[in-house]
Amino acid sequence: MKATPVLEIFGPTIQGEGMVIGRKTMFVRTGGCDYRCSWCDSAFTWDGSQKAAAMSAEAIYDKLKETGGEAFNHVTISGGNPAMHPGLGDLVELLQQHGIETAIETQGSIWNEWVKEIDEVTVSPKPPSSLMKTDWPRLDRYMEELQPRRDKALSLKVVVFDENDLKYAIDVHERYPDVTMYLQVGNDDTATPQVEKLRDHLLAKYEWLTEKVLQEERLNGVRVLPQLHTLLWGNKQGV
C-alpha cells in the first residue's frame, strides 16, 4: 500500500465550501499541489513551511478515530490537490468498509481512478486571478469520467475575486451546463487574525457577487455561496 503525505487530520468540524457546505465532517489534509495559486489560503500544503508525514490508509483511519471518536460519519479529503496521491484509494476503500462517506475537492488537473469512488466530488478549476492556466482537455476528461456515476454527486465550484473571474465562471458553466455549479466568494486577506474585520469584508464581497449573479442571465442555474468556515473562524488553521 502506498503512503500519503498528510499535513493534518482534524474535526469534527463544519464543511465550509461547495455542495457539502454545512456538513459535519472530519478533514484529512494532504501535502503537495501541482498549482501555485496567487491567493491560495492553504499554501502551507506546498510551500515547505509545514512538513507532511507519510501515512498509510490504516494509520490515517486510526488517527481519524482517535481524533473524532464516534462523532462523525463523513470525511473530507483536502489539500493542496489530494487527487495527485494514488495511495488515497486505499483510504477511500477502508472508509467505505466502515460506512463512512467521503468528499473531495480538486482542480481537475490530475486524474486517479479512485476519485470515481468518492461520494461527493467538487471540481474547482481556478480562475484568472489565481494566475494558473486551465488545461481544458484534462478538465474535460474529469467531467467525462465522473458524470456517469450513479448514486454519487458531482459539482463544479469557481472562486470569484473580480469581474474576470466571473467571466471565467460563465465559460465553465456554459462548457458543462448539466453539472451543478457553485460560485464562491474568494478570501483576499488570508493573513489577518481579526475575525470580525474579515467577516465584514467577506460579507460585503458576498453581496457584490450575489448582485452580479442576479443580473447575469447566463448564470441563472448557479448557487452563490460564502466561505462559511472563514465567516466562523477567520483564517484559523485546523477548524
Side-chain angles (χ1 to χ4, degrees):
M1 293 186 179
K2 297 181 179 179
T4 298
V6 177
L7 280 160
E8 56 182 352
I9 295 173
F10 62 92
T13 186
I14 298 299
Q15 171 59 256
E17 302 185 355
M19 64 177 163
V20 285
I21 191 168
R23 176 73 188 266
K24 183 180 179 183
T25 189
M26 294 289 292
F27 269 83
V28 175
R29 188 181 297 280
T30 61
C33 191
D34 53 317
Y35 276 21
R36 299 291 185 270
C37 295
S38 62
W39 36 250
C40 181
D41 61 1
S42 52
F44 60 88
T45 61
W46 49 262
D47 67 4
S49 61
Q50 297 186 29
K51 187 176 181 180
M55 300 179 69
S56 67
E58 289 80 4
I60 295 171
Y61 177 77
D62 289 344
K63 185 63 175 179
L64 284 165
K65 296 301 291 185
E66 176 188 336
T67 306
E70 298 300 320
F72 72 97
N73 64 358
H74 186 275
V75 171
T76 298
I77 303 171
S78 185
N81 183 7
M84 65 193 298
H85 303 300
L88 284 172
D90 297 326
L91 175 63
V92 173
E93 183 178 355
L94 184 58
L95 292 171
Q96 288 175 337
Q97 292 171 4
H98 289 274
I100 298 172
E101 296 179 10
T102 53
I104 191 173
E105 180 177 317
T106 175
Q107 57 262 42
S109 57
I110 297 177
W111 176 255
N112 260 301
E113 283 294 314
W114 60 261
V115 176
K116 286 184 178 179
E117 304 306 316
I118 297 288
D119 295 297
E120 296 154 335
V121 179
T122 297
V123 180
S124 182
K126 305 310 177 189
S129 64
S130 71
L131 305 183
M132 298 293 103
K133 186 176 180 180
T134 300
D135 186 325
W136 294 105
R138 287 191 178 190
L139 187 57
D140 288 341
R141 183 193 175 185
Y142 248 84
M143 308 314 291
E144 291 167 4
E145 294 279 1
L146 293 172
Q147 280 183 269
R149 304 182 310 156
R150 292 185 176 182
D151 303 320
K152 295 184 185 299
L154 169 66
S155 69
L156 285 158
K157 189 194 81 178
V158 174
V159 178
V160 177
F161 285 82
D162 55 32
E163 296 277 359
N164 286 333
D165 288 354
L166 194 60
K167 293 177 183 177
Y168 174 87
I170 292 170
D171 291 341
V172 173
H173 186 48
E174 292 184 331
R175 192 178 186 97
Y176 312 108
D178 297 327
V179 180
T180 301
M181 185 173 184
Y182 297 84
L183 300 186
Q184 184 175 292
V185 173
N187 179 6
D188 56 1
D189 188 356
T190 58
T192 181
Q194 301 179 48
V195 177
E196 292 184 359
K197 179 181 177 182
L198 181 61
R199 182 183 299 138
D200 290 343
H201 174 63
L202 292 180
L203 284 174
K205 288 174 64 68
Y206 181 49
E207 181 180 10
W208 170 83
L209 178 58
T210 299
E211 291 296 332
K212 288 293 183 179
V213 171
L214 293 179
Q215 297 165 19
E216 176 53 70
E217 64 183 50
R218 291 171 294 177
L219 293 173
N220 285 351
V222 306
R223 283 100 165 137
V224 188
L225 296 179
Q227 196 178 48
L228 184 58
H229 62 281
T230 307
L231 297 180
L232 291 173
W233 299 297
N235 291 316
K236 185 178 180 181
Q237 184 181 338
V239 293

